[in-house]
Amino acid sequence: MTVRRQPHWSEVVEQHGKRVFRIALRILGSVHDAEDVSQEVFAEAYRLHCAGPVQSLAGLLVRLATLRAIDRRRSNRPAEELRD
């Protein structure tokens, strides 16, 4: 029986926080939005880790940072009016 070790999330944030923030900032161009996305990423990573095994926490964080930043950028984009 394999016992899954819970990471200390303060250490996870300390170790990966700058990378997650830089990815979000590069995509979004806004410090405020990048901070928000970073918080969302770590919360989502925690939920995913609790739900089942995660092979690479670093890989998960990079992927989530990229996807959530793209989602945020898309949602902030003004809608264009369609013309005939």
Side-chain angles (χ1 to χ4, degrees):
M1 182 167 119
T2 303
V3 176
R4 214 171 40 162
R5 186 177 78 75
Q6 281 286 76
H8 296 283
W9 284 93
S10 60
E11 292 174 11
V12 171
V13 172
E14 180 70 30
Q15 185 177 4
H16 300 285
K18 288 180 183 178
R19 174 188 284 166
V20 168
F21 176 79
R22 280 193 313 265
I23 291 167
L25 182 61
R26 190 175 326 124
I27 293 169
L28 296 167
S30 164
V31 171
H32 178 74
D33 286 340
E35 288 172 343
D36 289 347
V37 165
S38 296
Q39 289 179 353
E40 293 170 15
V41 164
F42 284 105
E44 187 172 355
Y46 178 78
R47 286 191 302 272
L48 289 170
H49 178 78
C50 290
V54 174
Q55 289 184 4
S56 171
L57 195 53
L60 175 66
L61 291 169
V62 167
R63 181 81 171 147
L64 287 175
T66 303
L67 294 174
R68 296 304 158 252
I70 291 170
D71 290 345
R72 173 71 60 105
R73 185 172 175 138
R74 286 179 181 154
S75 70
N76 288 344
R77 186 171 38 191
E80 293 186 27
E81 185 176 322
L82 296 177
R83 297 182 183 174
D84 293 335

